[in-house]
Amino acid sequence: MDYNNNYQAPYQPQYNAPRPKSVGAGALVCGLIALVGPWLVNALVLDGLSLSNASESLTTVLISYVISLALSITAISLGAKGMSTGKATGAPKGMAIAGLVLGIIAAVIAFGNILCYISL
């Protein structure tokens, strides 16, 4: 008896290759924090603004916009990296585009507000 003539290997399921990780999520998070963060700081700090601590409050607001500018630059760079990675590997680019746009908007707002606070 020859059992090897009709032997077939058992079916092995094909697994899809894992999708490449995108840095678009990081760009989106940085862009959102850069856009919303200073407004929250302004609402919390300037809500209790009095004449005795006005310079300290304005310094806090200025620092929040400097941090926002740094986060927006990070969002812009991560968004650009995510878009180039998405184009090369086929990863989704939606979050990278959203992070890039939010980063640009936050950078313009932060830079304008920094200039306004410096001119005071």
Side-chain angles (χ1 to χ4, degrees):
M1 298 196 137
D2 192 10
Y3 292 106
N4 290 331
N5 288 342
N6 295 330
Y7 178 76
Q8 264 186 335
Y11 173 73
Q12 296 292 323
Q14 299 269 336
Y15 292 105
N16 293 334
R19 291 174 51 171
K21 304 264 186 208
S22 173
V23 293
L28 183 63
V29 169
C30 286
L32 280 173
I33 293 172
L35 192 60
V36 177
W39 287 345
L40 292 175
V41 170
N42 287 345
L44 295 174
V45 170
L46 296 180
D47 186 36
L49 183 64
S50 65
L51 294 177
S52 64
N53 62 358
S55 64
E56 295 171 3
S57 297
L58 289 177
T59 303
T60 304
V61 171
L62 179 63
I63 290 171
S64 73
Y65 280 113
V66 169
I67 292 171
S68 173
L69 186 62
L71 281 173
S72 62
I73 291 170
T74 304
I76 291 169
S77 64
L78 286 176
K81 172 85 171 143
M83 286 179 57
S84 67
T85 303
K87 185 183 282 187
T89 62
K93 297 183 288 188
M95 282 197 270
I97 293 170
L100 183 67
V101 169
L102 287 175
I104 291 170
I105 292 170
V108 168
I109 291 172
F111 189 69
N113 282 321
I114 288 171
L115 289 179
C116 288
Y117 281 113
I118 288 176
S119 67
L120 292 177

